Amino acid sequence: MKTDTNNATTTTVYEVARVAGVSPATVSRYLNGTAKISDEKRASIEKVIEQLNYKPNVLAQSLKMGSSRTIGVLTQSLVSGYFNEAMTGIDEAMKDAGYVPLIMSGHWHASEEAERVELLIARRVDGLVILTGNLSDAQILQYARRVPIVAFGRKLEGKQAFGFCLDNYQAACDAMDYLIEQGHRRIAFIEGPPEQEDARARLAGYRDTLARHNIKVHPKLIVPGDFQESGGLLAVNQLLETGQRFSAIFAGNDLTAYGARLALYRRNIRVPEDVSIIGFDDLHSSMCTTPPLTTVRQPLFDVGICIGQIMLKMINHEKFTVDIPALSLVVRESVRRIG
Amino acid sequence: MKTDTNNATTTTVYEVARVAGVSPATVSRYLNGTAKISDEKRASIEKVIEQLNYKPNVLAQSLKMGSSRTIGVLTQSLVSGYFNEAMTGIDEAMKDAGYVPLIMSGHWHASEEAERVELLIARRVDGLVILTGNLSDAQILQYARRVPIVAFGRKLEGKQAFGFCLDNYQAACDAMDYLIEQGHRRIAFIEGPPEQEDARARLAGYRDTLARHNIKVHPKLIVPGDFQESGGLLAVNQLLETGQRFSAIFAGNDLTAYGARLALYRRNIRVPEDVSIIGFDDLHSSMCTTPPLTTVRQPLFDVGICIGQIMLKMINHEKFTVDIPALSLVVRESVRRIG
DNA sequence: TTGAAAGCGATACCAA
DNA sequence: TTGGTATCGCTTTCAA
């Protein structure tokens, strides 16, 4: 009942073999270089392939070989500069090995993430990359029994599973040290979603560094955010409306910093003359904000490369060691020395 | 010589059938609801599937059905907010129909694009979406003989091909009308890459609108850019260094506007008090620049939805009509009324 | 309603 | 070096 989608009849190894006067096995051997072929047949096959514009059906190959040369990537947002920088690295690291990423987004929603993972597995991806998200470690380990997994944004070690994260805590400490070194004492902090490990680590870095410098942690200076611009905007409004005094803001991430900066702009509070801002992530656009944002650089591209390399090793059952990329403070112009 | 990648033996319809005491055909029928099944067998199958945690092999299904339920998307950058907003729309539009996007990037390089397209076709995607890029229309039409194509960023009409673009020219005219209405006469324009149709259309809109208002088109006010922040920065530097006078800048796109804004900031030129800026694209972050950027909104998400819907129709050989989303000016705070 | 078997397009083993 | 053929996991006639 169903008509062919493609008008042109697809050419197959059989077709090529027939026209070239050889067996399909030989054509396959030619394609994969699996065995020596007489020059005569080789020439013939080459000609026919050219002439018929034959392209092997990857689906059939995958089925037969038990490997789709595809690796599934579960991201949380197709539009996030943060995730997409990592995606680029993954793609870069795997493409030379002939792997193609199949990307799906879980939108930070555990049940949707689980659904996507099942979809990816059903498509027989050779490996799975999970970029943060809300799945439990137990669930991931469970999936790892079906497919090798490398996760980013959580520590994980298992039979076919490996996960790592960057040292957000240390980087937050460094950022705070910098702020304090620049003379800031009353520093506001805009949180990220508490269910995200990274967000908690940054907050911890904030608190601990203050404590280490014997600066009182003022609870009113810690305001909730959501890692989005709107959260940053609201947070600063709240800070201002409740009359807090602060000379600097440590935003949970760059997006938050953007929102915070806008809230300040609205009230004619200058950055960095009146208030300093420091972010976290170093999104591409942070280079061009007004003023350019001082922030913590997350080397996401390198993370992606790293993920890809581990994935490759795992797929090939090779041992691997990991060199986790380091976070670093990038000083631009949104923080001013005071006092 | 090669060991199984997956430790667990994959369960198949045969396995399920054997355990459930039915034929594989019946299991398949159950899976697809292709025929009535006795309650008894149905229950039995259900139980076994559950117990064996059976998931159909999509690869095998695809091979058999001649459809991979995958649609290839050729984008130009994995990190571009511009493209990714469209991606989201495409994903949204197609996922309910069970289609999954397979994304590859051509990086604005015709030969790489061609390579990716071949890869996508080899994977037997059911359809292909081409987001702008540098392939020739002829090449695309050629590919369309093998797979249905919908292209964005070019007008195209063919047997299995359809392409559309947004009216960049008209939107550029609108933006210019707005600037002029606000009293601006000396308006600088930062170009995009001339090989991109959109860039040319915007420039044409700039020129023509000026002409229509009997305002002299001053060649020195038109400076090259590259649709990146750096291009915008350089362009403004050039403008300033060659001593041009201008009260407003029409940036070829938002990224360019960001760079331009930074160049101005560096020289203590205020926006919009001293110079107004208008962008094009309305990237998400343009909402939060300082000041928020007045720009032309490209409804990329809607474009994505539109692309997805057309794709679906094409795959199903249904007629379709297209309602091309409109561009619109979004007035924020980067343009000031003068004179 | 059900089962047997052919076939999707490739690969690789076994013989020759 | 080559060819014949079984097989990957599934769907779908065709018969029963």
Side-chain angles (χ1 to χ4, degrees):
Chain A
M1 275 314 89
K2 99 186 254 307
T3 44
D4 254 27
T5 297
N6 293 335
N7 40 4
T9 338
T10 347
T11 42
T12 71
V13 257
Y14 284 87
E15 179 72 359
V16 174
R18 194 179 54 74
V19 180
V22 301
S23 78
T26 305
V27 177
S28 172
R29 287 193 266 259
Y30 164 79
L31 255 20
N32 305 297
T34 338
K36 285 224 164 68
I37 300 171
S38 67
D39 290 348
E40 183 195 11
K41 308 220 171 207
R42 144 168 279 110
S44 166
I45 293 174
E46 261 164 7
K47 209 185 64 196
V48 176
I49 285 184
E50 172 70 35
Q51 153 194 327
L52 265 42
N53 190 25
Y54 166 76
K55 306 278 149 106
N57 182 330
V58 176
L59 255 30
Q61 288 180 318
S62 300
L63 176 60
K64 178 64 192 176
M65 311 284 287
S67 152
S68 59
R69 293 259 137 189
T70 302
I71 89 126
V73 182
L74 180 72
T75 182
Q76 303 307 326
S77 160
L78 259 17
V79 290
S80 152
Y82 177 89
F83 286 115
N84 290 331
E85 197 184 327
M87 286 292 332
T88 310
I90 296 172
D91 187 39
E92 185 63 30
M94 310 218 44
K95 79 168 168 218
D96 289 334
Y99 284 89
V100 166
L102 185 57
I103 308 166
M104 298 200 185
S105 172
H107 303 108
W108 293 108
H109 202 303
S111 68
E112 192 174 349
E113 291 173 40
E115 206 175 282
R116 300 286 170 246
V117 169
E118 286 294 356
L119 231 55
L120 256 4
I121 294 181
R123 286 185 176 249
R124 294 304 189 269
V125 293
D126 296 335
L128 192 55
V129 173
I130 297 182
L131 300 176
T132 69
N134 293 318
L135 290 172
S136 71
D137 288 0
Q139 266 174 107
I140 293 187
L141 256 8
Q142 196 61 32
Y143 290 130
R145 290 150 52 100
R146 303 203 262 155
V147 61
I149 295 182
V150 10
F152 173 64
R154 66 180 81 217
K155 272 215 164 61
L156 211 61
E157 202 119 13
K159 193 168 159 7
Q160 268 200 123
F162 182 79
F164 68 98
C165 38
L166 305 184
D167 197 342
N168 280 257
Y169 175 78
Q170 186 54 55
C173 292
D174 293 347
M176 285 299 290
D177 277 335
Y178 175 72
L179 249 20
I180 292 168
E181 196 181 295
Q182 297 297 308
H184 296 278
R185 291 297 176 270
R186 293 193 67 92
I187 304 170
F189 183 83
I190 307 177
E191 302 174 87
E195 62 275 17
Q196 285 182 232
E197 169 59 27
D198 288 355
R200 292 196 303 271
R202 292 171 203 177
L203 175 57
Y206 167 82
R207 288 181 182 283
D208 293 359
T209 307
L210 248 22
R212 185 157 37 77
H213 287 269
N214 295 313
I215 300 172
K216 180 167 182 298
V217 177
H218 193 118
K220 289 267 178 62
L221 285 181
I222 302 178
V223 284
D226 57 4
F227 273 178
Q228 299 297 122
E229 293 94 334
S230 51
L233 185 90
L234 262 27
V236 169
N237 284 345
Q238 173 180 333
L239 245 15
L240 261 18
E241 278 154 23
T242 60
Q244 306 306 316
R245 289 185 307 108
F246 52 92
S247 66
I249 299 172
F250 183 1
N253 70 357
D254 281 7
L255 253 28
T256 302
Y258 299 170
R261 204 264 169 275
L262 178 58
L264 262 13
Y265 174 79
R266 289 257 176 275
R267 306 192 182 226
N268 278 312
I269 299 173
R270 296 164 304 168
V271 175
E273 293 80 354
D274 304 324
V275 167
S276 293
I277 299 187
I278 198 163
F280 205 112
D281 279 355
D282 193 23
L283 298 184
H284 190 257
S285 33
S286 296
M287 210 174 56
C288 273
T289 53
T290 322
L293 187 67
T294 292
T295 186
V296 174
R297 167 140 192 76
Q298 296 229 45
L300 269 333
F301 179 81
D302 295 334
V303 165
I305 295 278
C306 185
I307 290 174
Q309 288 171 340
I310 299 175
M311 190 81 259
L312 250 20
K313 295 282 190 183
M314 258 170 131
I315 290 175
N316 298 322
H317 305 288
E318 293 171 23
K319 288 252 167 296
F320 60 85
T321 55
V322 198
D323 213 351
I324 297 179
L327 292 168
S328 58
L329 186 67
V330 2
V331 174
R332 287 199 275 247
E333 303 159 41
S334 63
V335 173
R336 168 176 164 250
R337 157 160 246 129
I338 63 167
Chain B
M1 273 317 88
K2 100 186 249 307
T3 44
D4 255 27
T5 297
N6 294 333
N7 39 4
T9 339
T10 348
T11 42
T12 71
V13 259
Y14 281 87
E15 179 71 359
V16 173
R18 196 180 53 74
V19 179
V22 300
S23 80
T26 306
V27 177
S28 172
R29 287 194 266 257
Y30 165 79
L31 256 20
N32 305 299
T34 337
K36 287 224 162 69
I37 299 170
S38 68
D39 289 348
E40 185 195 10
K41 307 217 172 207
R42 145 167 277 110
S44 166
I45 293 174
E46 261 164 7
K47 209 185 65 196
V48 175
I49 286 184
E50 172 70 35
Q51 154 194 325
L52 264 44
N53 189 26
Y54 167 76
K55 306 278 149 107
N57 182 329
V58 177
L59 255 31
Q61 289 181 317
S62 300
L63 176 59
K64 180 63 196 178
M65 311 282 288
S67 152
S68 59
R69 294 259 133 187
T70 301
I71 90 126
V73 182
L74 180 73
T75 182
Q76 302 307 326
S77 161
L78 258 18
V79 290
S80 153
Y82 177 87
F83 286 114
N84 290 331
E85 197 185 326
M87 285 292 333
T88 310
I90 296 172
D91 188 39
E92 185 63 30
M94 312 223 36
K95 79 167 166 219
D96 289 333
Y99 285 89
V100 166
L102 185 58
I103 307 165
M104 298 199 186
S105 171
H107 302 109
W108 292 108
H109 203 302
S111 68
E112 192 174 348
E113 291 172 41
E115 208 174 280
R116 299 288 172 245
V117 169
E118 286 292 357
L119 231 54
L120 255 6
I121 294 180
R123 286 185 177 249
R124 295 303 188 267
V125 294
D126 295 335
L128 192 56
V129 173
I130 297 182
L131 299 176
T132 69
N134 292 319
L135 291 172
S136 71
D137 289 359
Q139 265 174 109
I140 292 187
L141 256 10
Q142 196 60 31
Y143 290 130
R145 290 148 51 98
R146 303 204 262 155
V147 62
I149 294 182
V150 10
F152 174 65
R154 67 179 80 217
K155 272 213 164 60
L156 211 62
E157 201 121 12
K159 193 169 156 5
Q160 268 199 125
F162 182 81
F164 67 98
C165 39
L166 304 185
D167 196 343
N168 281 257
Y169 175 77
Q170 185 54 54
C173 291
D174 294 347
M176 285 299 289
D177 277 335
Y178 175 72
L179 248 22
I180 292 169
E181 196 181 293
Q182 296 297 307
H184 295 279
R185 291 298 174 271
R186 293 193 68 94
I187 304 170
F189 183 83
I190 308 177
E191 304 174 87
E195 62 277 15
Q196 286 182 230
E197 169 58 26
D198 288 356
R200 291 196 304 270
R202 293 172 202 176
L203 175 57
Y206 166 82
R207 287 180 184 285
D208 293 0
T209 306
L210 248 23
R212 185 157 36 77
H213 287 269
N214 295 314
I215 300 173
K216 180 168 183 296
V217 177
H218 194 119
K220 287 269 178 61
L221 285 181
I222 301 178
V223 284
D226 56 5
F227 273 180
Q228 300 296 121
E229 293 94 333
S230 51
L233 185 91
L234 261 29
V236 168
N237 284 346
Q238 174 181 333
L239 245 17
L240 262 18
E241 278 154 21
T242 60
Q244 307 307 317
R245 289 185 306 108
F246 53 92
S247 66
I249 299 173
F250 183 1
N253 69 358
D254 280 8
L255 253 27
T256 302
Y258 298 170
R261 203 263 170 275
L262 178 57
L264 261 14
Y265 174 79
R266 289 256 176 276
R267 306 192 183 224
N268 276 312
I269 299 173
R270 295 165 304 166
V271 175
E273 293 81 355
D274 303 324
V275 167
S276 293
I277 299 187
I278 198 164
F280 205 112
D281 279 355
D282 193 23
L283 297 184
H284 190 258
S285 34
S286 295
M287 208 175 58
C288 274
T289 53
T290 319
L293 188 67
T294 292
T295 187
V296 173
R297 167 139 192 77
Q298 297 229 46
L300 269 333
F301 179 81
D302 295 335
V303 164
I305 295 280
C306 185
I307 291 174
Q309 289 170 341
I310 299 176
M311 191 81 260
L312 249 21
K313 296 282 190 184
M314 256 170 132
I315 291 176
N316 298 321
H317 305 290
E318 294 171 24
K319 288 250 166 299
F320 60 85
T321 55
V322 199
D323 212 352
I324 297 180
L327 292 166
S328 58
L329 186 68
V330 2
V331 174
R332 287 199 275 246
E333 303 161 39
S334 63
V335 173
R336 167 176 165 251
R337 158 158 246 129
I338 63 167

